[in-house]
Amino acid sequence: MHTKSLKRILHRRGKVGMKRRRSKVGSFFMFLGIFLLAAFMAFPLYYTVIQSLKPIDEIFRFPPTLYVNRPTMDNYGEMFRILANMWVPLSRYLFNTLMIAVLGTGLHVILAGMAAYPLAKHKFPGKDLIFAIIMLGLMFVPQVTFVPSFIIISKLGLLNTYWAQLLPTIGVSLGLFLMRQFMEQLPDAMMEAAKIDGATEFRVCFQIVFPSVKPAIVTVIIFQFINLWNLSGGDVVYNEELKTLTQAMSQISAANAYARYGPSMAAAVIMMLPPILIFVLLQRQVIETMTSAGIKG
Amino acid sequence: MNNGLLQQMKKYRESYLLMLPYLLFFTVFTLVPVIVAVVISFTEYNMLTPARFVFLDNYIRMFLEDNVFLTAMSNMVRIAVIIGPVSYILCFFIAWVINDLNRTGRSILTTLFYVPAVVGGASWAVWRLLLSGDQYGLVNNFLMSLGIIFEPIAWTTEESAILPVIIIVQLWMSMGISFLSFIAGMQTVDQSLYEAGMIDGIRNRFQELWYVTLPSMLPQLVFGAVMQIISAFTVADVSVQLCGLPSTNYAGETIVTHIMDYGTIRYEFGYACAMSVVLVLLMQLSRALVTKVLSKVGS
């Protein structure tokens, strides 16, 4: 339903867009501006890749170059060698990060999705209040609440466990908000029909609502996965074998910045790849979801 | 009456059950921390000795005794006042321009502008390298070869350079979720409105933007603004990763880095929580303000 209306809009854009008035000079300057901005955005990423491919003599060449003469994968080999010789094997860090990212994403999507459905479609007492509080929660980001969170995690006896990193990520607001806004657009008739056939709300939620909001679910998965992939958890976890890949990678560059320029750039490239790939592959769903994600002023 | 409410609630039993698991996590890990922060902000507490009630002392100390807090506050306001609007307008401008492209061009540029927001910690290493204080640092090298500066500048430790550096790097990574929401918002605008606008005498793209596009995507504008406020007020990682904690003479201190200082280094939780409370209030205030301004759009 939703996909169709979006397609129609995209289709019509092609026809109608042509007729709209566009001055050539204006277009030129606007695209010049975009080009300069794009260059600013891309440059640090480009330089990371270039540096990671340079052999050691080119890394320290003066003046520094913006291209690579003899590209090599040495830095990547060196990076994996450093990681292999760390006290805790690389596979453990990778496992930690993946476990937190997969479990945290999965639980958040399912639980927030279950809560989003009644908040979007039912008219129970207290609905507006609950939603308003959850929206307020958008502002209670970790940067603001890490001190009281630390106290709570410590009082619950969760310090220095996987749970300390995992549990707080399940109850964030953003995913619920995105899914709820998307669900609000579903036609009521869809759910009514199932209820007349005797389906419980639980079944309606899982068998009718969830399959109809796939773009929103995919979007929340992307945002949450990227967040958790970048999670470092430094405040609540101290054992080396509980640390995440992000922490391990940052240790490479922090330990000896000069001698390890090459490997730390290689590490940066490796860490950047998963979030970028996920977004490139699933971008369409994200944009479709964001069309419904507005706040009425 | 009361009976009616209970019956209503009973009727929606399943709705409450569906929300229960999420609300449990939300309450314990998002809501309770804020309540705890408010309570602790009135005490002196370090987790080792029992909390001592001090009422408003922490708040008084913040504004009257802690000079570094005032520095942090003024830095944060400067950062937020620049990054908030600049990034918001840039996000919108870029979304607006690339909306006229075909699908492939739009996807490529969307990805390019969005990616810096998601690579997060992986980019610190390259920024340290670019901003390096010697002539190997590309920024120094470039400016010197153009003759704009004559000796290298220590971008991340030189007091006067710290704040501009933080702002520029933060801008680089700020085309996040609000940018995506604007791109999506542009696509929801009803195309027949543009035709109607042309008939009504809209002459150029800026009139079209003001009278048609902006009012149609107001919900996305508000959502984007809320997201921008949150990220502009919580700038901290850039400062800590590039300039250190603390930075030279606290030139890069923000409220969040100041909270880190007291919360994770000095273990003065009461004071750290009081600062969190002030920060949340500031964010709420600017959110109310911005929402009000945005409601004037297109009129």
Side-chain angles (χ1 to χ4, degrees), chain A residues 56-213:
Chain A
I56 191 124
D57 58 316
E58 284 191 49
I59 289 179
F60 290 105
R61 178 173 298 165
F62 187 85
T65 55
L66 295 180
Y67 51 86
V68 47
N69 276 331
R70 292 170 293 111
T72 161
M73 296 300 278
D74 284 358
N75 291 319
Y76 291 85
E78 173 70 6
M79 178 199 76
F80 284 115
R81 200 187 56 72
I82 296 171
L83 282 171
N85 288 338
M86 277 169 120
W87 187 37
V88 172
L90 171 69
S91 53
R92 183 63 195 255
Y93 295 119
L94 188 62
F95 170 80
N96 293 343
T97 286
L98 283 179
M99 197 200 69
I100 291 167
V102 170
L103 272 182
T105 306
L107 284 171
H108 174 66
V109 169
I110 293 170
L111 298 189
M114 276 162 63
Y117 163 53
L119 283 169
K121 282 297 173 195
H122 297 166
K123 292 189 185 67
F124 53 88
K127 168 182 165 170
D128 293 339
L129 179 70
I130 293 176
F131 189 58
I133 293 174
I134 291 173
M135 286 299 290
L136 211 58
L138 276 178
M139 300 223 159
F140 305 153
V141 287
Q143 289 96 319
V144 181
T145 59
F146 66 92
V147 174
S149 295
F150 175 84
I151 296 172
I152 288 165
I153 287 167
S154 134
K155 293 288 179 200
L156 291 173
L158 297 175
L159 272 189
N160 210 17
T161 63
Y162 282 126
W163 303 118
Q165 307 188 58
L166 180 61
L167 297 182
T169 62
I170 297 171
V172 294
S173 294
L174 185 62
L176 181 135
F177 170 72
L178 294 176
M179 285 192 277
R180 187 232 176 225
Q181 300 301 85
F182 204 88
M183 286 173 185
E184 213 174 21
Q185 302 178 329
L186 297 176
D188 289 323
M190 231 164 93
M191 286 146 251
E192 292 307 325
K195 272 187 253 177
I196 290 166
D197 290 346
T200 58
E201 291 290 3
F202 196 77
R203 268 191 63 184
V204 173
C205 180
F206 276 85
Q207 295 189 341
I208 295 174
V209 176
F210 279 7
S212 340
V213 296

Side-chain angles (χ1 to χ4, degrees), chain A residues 20 122 125 154 172 230 291, chain B residues 15-16 22 47 111 118 208 220:
Chain A
R20 278 154 58 193
H122 297 166
S154 134
V172 294
N230 290 329
T291 55
Chain B
S15 313
Y16 293 111
Y22 171 83
M47 285 189 88
T111 309
V118 299
E208 183 183 282
Q220 274 83 12

Side-chain angles (χ1 to χ4, degrees), chain A residues 93-102 105 169 221-233 244-247 249 267-276 278, chain B residues 118-122:
Chain A
Y93 295 119
L94 188 62
F95 170 80
N96 293 343
T97 286
L98 283 179
M99 197 200 69
I100 291 167
V102 170
T105 306
T169 62
I221 290 176
I222 297 171
F223 285 156
Q224 185 78 348
F225 186 86
I226 290 174
N227 261 341
L228 296 181
W229 176 264
N230 290 329
L231 185 84
S232 88
T244 60
L245 197 59
T246 306
Q247 272 172 299
M249 291 292 194
V269 172
I270 298 278
M271 288 309 286
M272 284 174 181
L273 275 181
I276 296 178
I278 289 172
Chain B
V118 299
V119 296

Side-chain angles (χ1 to χ4, degrees), chain B residues 227-272:
Chain B
M227 288 297 151
Q228 285 289 352
I229 289 170
I230 294 170
S231 61
F233 277 85
T234 52
V235 172
D237 272 2
V238 178
S239 173
V240 173
Q241 294 290 338
L242 298 183
C243 310
L245 178 67
S247 44
T248 313
N249 207 10
Y250 296 106
E253 192 88 336
T254 65
I255 295 192
V256 174
T257 66
H258 207 48
I259 299 174
M260 287 176 177
D261 188 355
Y262 280 87
T264 62
I265 300 174
R266 305 182 203 216
Y267 286 87
E268 293 188 34
F269 289 144
Y271 190 49

Side-chain angles (χ1 to χ4, degrees), chain B residues 3 7 11 31 38 44-45 69 77 89 103 153 175 179 192 222 232 245 252 260 290:
Chain B
N3 214 356
Q7 244 164 18
K11 187 179 152 211
L31 201 56
V38 173
E44 198 182 285
Y45 183 52
F69 176 80
V77 169
I89 290 168
R103 183 181 289 183
I153 294 175
M175 314 272 152
F179 172 59
S192 61
V222 177
L245 178 67
M260 287 176 177
V290 168

Side-chain angles (χ1 to χ4, degrees), chain A residues 9-10 20 22-23 27 30 41 122 125 136 144 148 154 171-172 177 201 223 230 261 268 283 287 291 295, chain B residues 14-16 22 26 30 33 47 100 103 107 111 114 118 122 129 172 184 187-188 205 208 219-220 223 276 284:
Chain A
I9 290 171
L10 290 175
R20 278 154 58 193
R22 292 285 184 262
S23 82
S27 294
M30 290 206 312
M41 297 307 273
H122 297 166
L136 211 58
V144 181
S154 134
V172 294
F177 170 72
E201 291 290 3
F223 285 156
N230 290 329
Y261 264 170
Q283 194 195 121
I287 300 296
T291 55
I295 299 174
Chain B
E14 285 178 297
S15 313
Y16 293 111
Y22 171 83
F26 176 77
T30 307
M47 285 189 88
D100 277 352
R103 183 181 289 183
S107 320
T111 309
Y114 179 64
V118 299
L129 189 55
W172 179 73
Q187 300 186 357
T188 60
R205 68 178 101 209
E208 183 183 282
Q220 274 83 12
F223 174 70
S276 296
Q284 282 298 338

Side-chain angles (χ1 to χ4, degrees), chain B residues 30 61 63 115-116 212 239 251:
Chain B
T30 307
R61 174 181 174 192
F63 290 101
V115 156
V212 182
S239 173

